């Protein structure tokens, strides 16, 4: 089966790329439906649970279509995780962050060398970047963690609202918005903000049969967590309602012999990055964190996610438990 771009140029069979680059014999869930729409140049919002393979939905079209795919992503750590994963697949990816060699990345971007360029919404909405993007043939624009677009979403980022300027500059370029969770009102807001028609909405099933949910009466939180995690080896995440609580939980678990680190927005950036990196590489660490941790974390062996307090919303709870 062959696809064609809106300009009529033939592109590689996505099934061939799926096998040769990603090593899969078949698409999973709604992936083929999403990829097909992007390759046909149709604007799309895909709501797919954590672990359903959202990144493949823009990585594969980026390889199939001529040009460079622009990926809007909200977190530097998330970008770097995804770039490492792309590099492992032989996909040429880079990001424009303060930690990168900006001049070298811009040169690669302008030369068309990159398959993927990751950029934060705060940079993507600047006049300078928009003029830079005007000089490049874009294969698609992907908006990751698209719930950040909506004021009804659990991680609203005002800069996401300004992306319409960039999208308007490139109306002919396919746009793909992706998120793991969005209720009906949030989905409608995303569609309106990003100029995606209602028939461009694809919602995958939310059932995760490999996850078991248990709710317990909270009594002695520290003791309960030590018992819970003592019975369950492997990497784990404990969400806490405040920065102080993350520090306290990490110290308590560490004192009981379970390696544990805190993560919250009040830590110096280098400490946050170091703690996240240690957790991603670990086989038995616990990260005690506020909701600042977790968006887009690509770690397939997390065995337990515990909430030491009630989450802010049902959508936030689903998003956070989806790390398991």
């Amino acid at each position: 089966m062959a696809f064609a771009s809106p300009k009529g140029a033939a592109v590689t069979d996505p099934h061939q790329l799926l096998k040769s680059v990603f090593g899969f014999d078949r698409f999973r869930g709604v992936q083929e439906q999403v990829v097909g729409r992007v390759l046909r140049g149709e604007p799309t919002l895909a709501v797919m649970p954590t672990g359903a393979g959202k990144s493949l939905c823009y990585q594969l079209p980026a390889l199939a279509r001529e040009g460079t795919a622009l990926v809007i992503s909200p977190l530097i750590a998330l970008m770097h995780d995804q770039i490492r994963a792309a590099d492992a697949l032989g996909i040429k990816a880079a990001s424009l962050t303060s930690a990168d060699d900006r001049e070298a990345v811009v040169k690669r971007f302008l030369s068309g060398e990159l398959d993927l360029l990751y950029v934060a919404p705060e940079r993507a909405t600047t006049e300078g970047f928009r003029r830079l993007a005007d000089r490049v043939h874009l294969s698609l624009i992907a908006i990751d963690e698209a719930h950040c677009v909506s004021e009804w979403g659990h991680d609203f980022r005002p800069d996401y609202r300004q992306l319409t300027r960039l999208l308007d500059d490139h109306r002919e370029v396919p746009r793909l918005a992706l998120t793991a969770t969005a209720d009906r009102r949030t989905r409608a807001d995303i569609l309106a903000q990003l100029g995606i028609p209602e028939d461009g909405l694809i919602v995958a099933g939310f059932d995760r049969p490999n996850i078991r949910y248990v709710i317990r009466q909270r009594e002695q939180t520290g003791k309960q967590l030590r018992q819970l995690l003592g019975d369950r080896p492997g990497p784990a995440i404990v969400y806490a309602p405040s920065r102080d609580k993350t520090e306290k939980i990490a110290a308590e678990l560490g004192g009981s012999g379970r390696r544990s680190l805190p993560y919250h927005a009040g830590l110096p950036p280098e400490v946050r990055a170091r703690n996240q990196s240690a957790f991603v590489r670990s086989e038995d660490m616990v990260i005690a964190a506020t909701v600042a941790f977790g968006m887009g974390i690509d770690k397939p062996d997390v065995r337990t996610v515990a909430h030491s307090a009630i989450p802010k919303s049902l959508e936030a709870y689903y998003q956070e438990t989806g790390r398991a």
Side-chain angles (χ1 to χ4, degrees):
M1 176 171 58
F3 285 84
S5 71
K7 297 179 181 179
V11 297
T12 306
D13 184 340
H15 294 90
Q16 293 176 359
L17 286 173
L18 184 68
K19 180 65 175 179
S20 62
V21 177
F22 300 93
F24 299 121
D25 293 320
R26 61 183 64 87
F27 288 99
R28 180 161 34 122
V30 300
Q31 282 181 330
E32 185 168 15
Q33 186 180 355
V34 176
V35 168
R37 284 188 60 88
V38 175
L39 291 179
R40 292 191 297 271
E42 299 169 351
T44 304
L45 166 59
V47 183
M48 302 165 63
T50 301
K54 290 187 291 295
S55 59
L56 182 143
C57 292
Y58 62 77
Q59 289 175 341
L60 192 153
L63 298 176
R65 293 178 61 93
E66 181 183 353
T68 299
L70 189 61
V71 183
I72 313 299
S73 183
L75 299 174
I76 293 175
L78 171 56
M79 292 184 206
H80 291 173
D81 283 347
Q82 292 177 333
I83 289 171
R84 283 193 292 269
D87 286 343
L89 295 170
I91 300 172
K92 297 176 182 177
S95 67
L96 279 176
T97 67
S98 57
D100 291 318
D101 184 342
R102 175 177 169 79
E103 184 177 346
V105 172
V106 168
K107 184 177 180 180
R108 295 176 70 195
F109 184 42
L110 291 174
S111 69
E113 176 187 338
L114 295 173
D115 300 312
L116 299 169
L117 178 68
Y118 289 85
V119 62
E122 292 80 4
R123 185 182 296 275
T125 55
T126 64
E127 184 70 17
F129 181 81
R130 288 171 56 205
R131 299 292 73 84
L132 179 67
D134 287 344
R135 300 165 60 188
V136 177
H137 180 69
L138 299 178
S139 58
L140 66 103
I141 300 175
I143 300 95
D144 203 7
E145 308 293 348
H147 57 271
C148 295
V149 172
S150 175
E151 62 182 290
W152 311 114
H154 56 275
D155 285 304
F156 177 49
R157 294 272 291 270
D159 285 285
Y160 265 79
R161 291 276 193 172
Q162 306 303 318
L163 290 174
T164 52
R165 300 173 183 173
L166 178 67
L167 295 172
D168 287 344
D169 290 344
H170 303 276
R171 293 180 182 275
E172 77 288 355
V173 177
R175 61 189 68 176
L176 170 63
L178 299 140
T179 183
T181 177
D183 61 18
R184 189 182 302 274
R185 180 165 61 170
T186 303
R187 295 198 298 263
D189 197 19
I190 296 171
L191 293 174
Q193 292 297 322
L194 298 181
I196 299 172
E198 289 187 9
D199 63 5
L201 173 64
I202 298 175
V203 181
F206 294 101
D207 184 27
R208 293 284 300 280
N210 62 320
I211 296 181
R212 182 167 63 96
Y213 296 89
V214 178
I215 299 175
R216 297 178 180 174
Q217 182 72 30
R218 187 174 61 180
E219 296 172 352
Q220 300 178 44
T221 306
K223 180 179 178 181
Q224 286 177 301
L225 286 172
R226 289 194 299 272
Q227 181 180 358
L228 173 72
L229 297 171
D231 295 338
R232 292 167 176 79
I237 303 171
V238 176
Y239 282 106
S242 68
R243 298 175 182 182
D244 290 344
K245 290 289 187 182
T246 67
E247 302 274 1
K248 182 178 179 181
I249 289 171
E252 287 185 357
L253 292 174
S256 68
R258 186 71 180 269
R259 189 183 177 203
S260 180
L261 291 172
Y263 186 102
H264 58 74
L267 292 171
E270 63 273 12
V271 175
R272 287 203 311 272
R274 185 168 63 244
N275 289 1
Q276 176 173 322
S277 179
F279 175 71
V280 170
R281 295 195 309 268
S282 74
E283 296 182 356
D284 196 45
M285 180 184 287
V286 178
I287 192 95
T290 61
V291 294
F293 179 84
M295 186 187 292
I297 294 300
D298 185 13
K299 184 169 174 59
D301 60 345
V302 175
R303 294 295 173 237
T304 305
V305 177
H307 285 79
S308 63
I310 296 174
K312 293 181 178 180
S313 68
L314 187 60
E315 288 73 31
Y317 179 63
Y318 178 80
Q319 180 88 350
E320 290 152 15
T321 56
R323 314 300 175 203

